[in-house]
Amino acid sequence: VRWGTTTQPTSFDPATVGNAANRWYLEPIYDTLIDALENGQLVPGLATEWALADDAMSLDLTLREGVTFQDGEPFDADAVVANFEHFRADDSLLKADLAVIDSVEVIDPLHVRLHFNRAGGDVPQVLSGFPGMMVSPASIAAGTTSTEPVGAGPFTINTITDSSATYDYWDGYWAAETIIPRSVEVVLMTDD
């Protein structure tokens, strides 16, 4: 698949990308906790279930079992905590999007509870965008996410240039049977 865009990638780190148009560069690499269909309906992603508390002051997420990141790191509750810590850091452009979160509690390896400082009924929708894209904790710790991204999505980054990014199919993807293309190229086109 070849995808043309008029936007050059600024970063491959969801925390620092800063431009919704760059989503096309990140989506092949990263799966989100919750997916949104074109009609806005929320469907399972890396979280198979979610439940908002009756007072909307917390959200429980049930994580998909058996998922790994492209570097072999496990996707689990600790990985979700590492991502929210990264996304809520002072230098993150997602900090304001996640300001509703007071804390992230690990219930067990496949369950996380987000505690809010106000009613958080909007949070599931937020988690279908950049704030829900899960990055390998090892990539976050290494500080290489912006140029050497590692996610749990269907494609790994192959090359990044000033005018394109190419991706290779990753056969370790948790839903590999649903992916038809075996490569993706996002191409910068400056002439409309």
Side-chain angles (χ1 to χ4, degrees):
V1 170
R2 252 179 126 219
W3 182 271
T5 181
T6 58
T7 306
Q8 189 173 21
T10 55
S11 170
F12 284 85
D13 183 347
T16 60
V17 71
N19 183 334
N22 281 312
R23 186 174 179 129
W24 311 119
Y25 289 102
L26 276 62
E27 282 189 339
I29 303 164
Y30 303 114
D31 269 0
T32 52
L33 288 167
I34 298 172
D35 285 337
L37 301 179
E38 289 179 11
N39 65 6
Q41 178 186 355
L42 299 179
V43 296
L46 291 174
T48 57
E49 298 176 29
W50 54 95
L52 195 63
D54 289 342
D55 63 0
M57 293 299 289
S58 67
L59 178 73
D60 286 2
L61 298 169
T62 300
L63 307 180
R64 192 172 294 279
E65 191 171 2
V67 175
T68 61
F69 290 98
Q70 296 153 353
D71 58 4
E73 291 285 315
F75 169 72
D76 57 16
D78 290 334
V80 173
V81 170
N83 273 268
F84 281 120
E85 287 174 353
H86 176 61
F87 294 158
R88 296 170 62 220
D90 287 339
D91 59 347
S92 171
L93 298 176
L94 299 177
K95 183 177 180 179
D97 294 332
L98 298 173
V100 62
I101 299 174
D102 264 346
S103 63
V104 183
E105 177 186 359
V106 172
I107 305 299
D108 62 44
L110 294 178
H111 294 89
V112 173
R113 180 170 294 141
L114 308 180
H115 295 276
F116 304 141
N117 52 40
R118 64 155 172 84
D122 58 325
V123 173
Q125 181 70 41
V126 169
L127 298 182
S128 70
F130 289 135
M133 290 183 173
M134 293 290 102
V135 180
S136 166
S139 176
I140 293 170
T144 58
T145 304
S146 64
T147 56
E148 299 173 25
V150 180
F155 295 93
T156 59
I157 196 76
N158 183 333
T159 60
I160 302 169
T161 70
D162 289 341
S163 60
S164 71
T166 60
Y167 307 82
D168 294 327
Y169 170 76
W170 178 50
D171 61 6
Y173 182 53
W174 63 269
E177 70 282 353
T178 66
I179 305 302
I180 295 170
R182 289 300 183 253
S183 65
V184 173
E185 182 179 16
V186 181
V187 181
L188 178 66
M189 300 175 134
T190 56
D191 185 333
D192 288 344

